[in-house]
Amino acid sequence: MGIPVSVFRQLRSISGKAYVTTEKEELLCYSYDATGISHLPDGVVFPGSETEISRILQLASKEKLIVVPRGTGSGMTGGSVPAKGGLVLVTSRMNKILSIDEENFIIRVQPGVIVSDIHKAVEEKGLFYPPDPSSSSVCTIGGNIGECAGGPRAVKYGVTRDYVLGLRAVLPSGQVIQTGVSTAKGVAGYDLTRLIVGSEGTLAVVTEITLKLLPKPLAVKTMAVLFDSMTKAARTVSGIMKNAIIPRCVEYLDEECLCLIRDHLSFDIAENIKALLIIELDGNPDAVEKDAEQIREFCFSSDALEVMTAQTPAEAQTLWEARKALSPVLYKIAAHKINEDIVVPINKIPEMVEVAQRIQRTSGLRVVSFGHAGDGNIHCNIMYDQSDADACERAKRAVEELFSETLRLGGTITGEHGVGMTKRKFLPDEVGETQINLMRGIKRVFDPLNILNPGKIFE
Amino acid sequence: MGIPVSVFRQLRSISGKAYVTTEKEELLCYSYDATGISHLPDGVVFPGSETEISRILQLASKEKLIVVPRGTGSGMTGGSVPAKGGLVLVTSRMNKILSIDEENFIIRVQPGVIVSDIHKAVEEKGLFYPPDPSSSSVCTIGGNIGECAGGPRAVKYGVTRDYVLGLRAVLPSGQVIQTGVSTAKGVAGYDLTRLIVGSEGTLAVVTEITLKLLPKPLAVKTMAVLFDSMTKAARTVSGIMKNAIIPRCVEYLDEECLCLIRDHLSFDIAENIKALLIIELDGNPDAVEKDAEQIREFCFSSDALEVMTAQTPAEAQTLWEARKALSPVLYKIAAHKINEDIVVPINKIPEMVEVAQRIQRTSGLRVVSFGHAGDGNIHCNIMYDQSDADACERAKRAVEELFSETLRLGGTITGEHGVGMTKRKFLPDEVGETQINLMRGIKRVFDPLNILNPGKIFE
């Protein structure tokens, strides 16, 4: 078993000795993602260029060697875990912003660039790249492409796929393709660009990404709205969207979340507060001012107890930092969590909130909900202790119930985390065997030897 | 040759006698699209339901019968022309708006619904479906899905693919799939929804479409801006986009176009006017007012001779009707046109305008340009007489030069019309053989017998 020594010799001659490793300690570092699922690879390679990746995949094809592309491993469904061993291909050295074209509103980047570095680079030039997953300060754009990352601003601006104009990618055979366009429109044949987006590194290794940019909004306004009931907050969300105003973010946090981030907030949370909405608007300064006033009135008419507006960018940032801190601080409740990013139609959010509360009661596990309520995308976190076999069993059943209720309400089991390993067995319930067979067929077209990230999405 | 009588008997038992025809006069009606390319089918069927379509395709698979799905035939690249005969499947009876969900901002429609009927139905409810191809009063949403239609509002709002959340479709085998979601986000496996969008009816027959809607903008402002040089107008376009204002439309018309639609306009065009920009803004009324003022100033600083603002919706409509009349009135110049919807990066528009002028000189044919300048999408119309063999040859060479210059400038040969038959031979120049082989492979996964609209996009 394992990879023959001669293959590692060839890998070292491709990428250089310093960039190929089989050391146990290092293999461990590239064995897991944010799910905590871990599987040791046989080796790790850090290629420095598209040419190297092409040569690595040629070699892999020849040797029937599994290759698993990986950014920083912040994924939530095991997408980058080397489930069947093989070689992990880390994009960390391919971390250059290749060009920012201010006249045509596009940026070209390598896959290993950290998403917040893209934000900073374009905002300095008065431009804007909207997708902003909570992990943006650590995750790579390549990983965002792989899973079609979303984040809070999707309400107004859409998700990663809406900004990917074109890709360069290496096929498992080592052949290089350049998909899509560098322009706003383009329909030259089947849409291979958006087929690769969200394919979790199972079809090709992306080596260069052309993203669409927007002008940076001139004003941003961030509001915190407090409610004494989760259901009232959820009802407010579906109401807000009907006012011909589309906020760029509508996030919600339940009572459990508020307890956890109390120390991170710049304001006090009274005893009777059960839910918080974070609403953010952007655009022309006057319009933002006016829209904020309208939303404020609407929130009060929907029984909000308090509507606070951030007076400075720093205040807004504190609020967002509290929100982004949620995912890690959840571990205060229990050693392990299952974070399921279900989506339901906006008007079904109140019902979904009740489902989550019911699951908490029946499972006896803490179920903490927060998320991107503006697009119906709720992160339900089921907290448990993996060393407790009974809790594991209850967590498993809780997930099953959560997914079946999500589908019953017309939703999807994955809004932005992908399928990876953890949702694989549930995918047929959502899309059916006929579609999975089509996906398997497409996989075979791109990867006839099944060497690229096998064991993900479907078997 | 042709389809056996027994097959027609079965087709009649599926869809009813009235909805299957082999009459020559009727075959003729379904033999061509807006390119003027014509090829007689062997029969035409007008199914009334998804079940009928599934049975028709089961029969077609059994009999290896070609099936070509078709809306109203307004396509610009021969996508719905039955290039190899067979059965044309017309969606005109499947023309129902199934539901408009005001709370979740979605509409479900059948493929035969006329696009402007969708506009009307949702706008009555304060909602908005942005894509608005020039043919919207005659084209079907099914055809828009097939070609990934665009139109002038793509500058701000994107194209058809950005609004398709999910599809129901029948595979060539007769199996029915339901792709995508009814929610704003979703990444459950490979993106089959956007693979089918733009696939020109070669992968599946779409039977139901779930579209995302937006709140209807509260205010719209339409401006006509006049220039004494096409190059100045083109430069203004790339300048406008840099002002943190994204108009919903930035259309341009060259001198030739202005002559043609002079009678349709509510204002006079002086001798020295060589180009017109139509700029349309939408949003919150105050913001629109302010943005319009800023754009007005910018246009004057870019040497505009006149900036006129429509004072009433009727005035704006007159301007749009003049713009939309362009495509048909072009036939005043010559009996035939080749309308190529190339796209170049916005800052390359001035150069592309010069290329078009040069091609006009070298070919000796009139080349009329207008289009969606805000996203770099230019409709170059090469006008000629098909009965003149020499003109045909020059038109052919003009297209070749236009495409090669487009690719040299980093553009695409098709922004929103698709590849169909007319651009098939040019596709390899843009995407390369490796990608075409992937597309062929995907085609085989969906349609192993090659019965669904064969001879399109690639061979």
Side-chain angles (χ1 to χ4, degrees), chain A residues 101-105 147-148 150-152 154 158-159 161-162 171 175-192 194-195 197-200 202-203 212 214-216 218 238 241-246 284 286-287 290-291 341 343-348 372 375 377 410-419 427 430-431 434-435 437-443 445-446 457-458, chain B residues 101-105 147-148 150-152 154 158-159 161-162 171 175-192 194-195 197-200 202-203 212 214-216 218 238 241-246 284 286-287 290-291 341 343-348 372 375 377 410-419 427 430-431 434-435 437-443 445-446 457-458:
Chain A
D101 181 343
E102 296 173 63
E103 299 219 301
N104 295 304
F105 293 84
E147 306 296 329
C148 190
V159 296
R161 86 162 67 86
D162 301 309
L171 300 178
Q175 287 173 295
V176 177
I177 57 172
Q178 174 149 6
T179 74
V181 290
S182 304
T183 52
K185 283 177 179 168
V187 286
Y190 296 162
D191 191 345
L192 301 186
R194 285 160 199 88
L195 185 60
V197 174
S199 68
E200 310 199 20
T202 65
L203 297 179
K212 179 173 88 168
L214 297 177
K216 189 180 166 193
L218 296 175
S238 58
M241 306 295 290
K242 294 186 71 179
N243 281 274
I245 299 171
I246 310 175
N284 178 310
D286 297 338
K290 204 156 177 170
D291 291 351
D341 72 318
V343 191
V344 292
I346 308 169
N347 69 346
K348 294 292 195 303
H372 318 307
D375 46 36
N377 187 192
T412 173
I413 62 169
T414 179
E416 53 187 17
H417 292 174
V419 177
L427 188 65
E430 179 164 340
V431 306
T434 307
Q435 274 189 87
N437 283 334
L438 291 174
M439 293 179 196
R440 283 193 190 107
I442 292 168
K443 168 72 171 167
V445 169
F446 280 75
I457 307 178
F458 43 74
Chain B
D101 180 343
E102 296 174 62
E103 298 219 301
N104 295 303
F105 293 84
E147 306 295 330
C148 190
V159 297
R161 84 161 68 85
D162 300 308
L171 300 178
Q175 289 172 295
V176 176
I177 57 172
Q178 173 149 6
T179 73
V181 290
S182 304
T183 52
K185 283 178 177 168
V187 286
Y190 296 163
D191 190 346
L192 301 186
R194 285 161 199 90
L195 185 61
V197 174
S199 68
E200 311 198 20
T202 65
L203 297 179
K212 179 173 87 169
L214 298 176
K216 189 180 165 192
L218 296 175
S238 57
M241 306 296 290
K242 294 187 71 180
N243 281 274
I245 299 170
I246 310 176
N284 179 310
D286 297 338
K290 204 156 175 169
D291 291 351
D341 71 318
V343 192
V344 292
I346 309 169
N347 70 345
K348 294 292 196 302
H372 318 308
D375 46 35
N377 187 191
T412 173
I413 62 171
T414 178
E416 53 186 17
H417 291 175
V419 177
L427 187 64
E430 178 164 339
V431 306
T434 307
Q435 275 190 86
N437 283 334
L438 291 174
M439 294 180 196
R440 282 192 190 108
I442 292 169
K443 167 73 170 167
V445 169
F446 280 75
I457 307 178
F458 43 75

Side-chain angles (χ1 to χ4, degrees), chain A residues 3 8 11 41-45 56 65-69 85-89:
Chain A
I3 304 172
F8 277 108
L11 283 171
D42 298 298
V44 183
V45 62
I56 292 166
L65 171 64
I66 287 173
V67 175
V68 180
L87 188 68
V88 169
L89 186 158

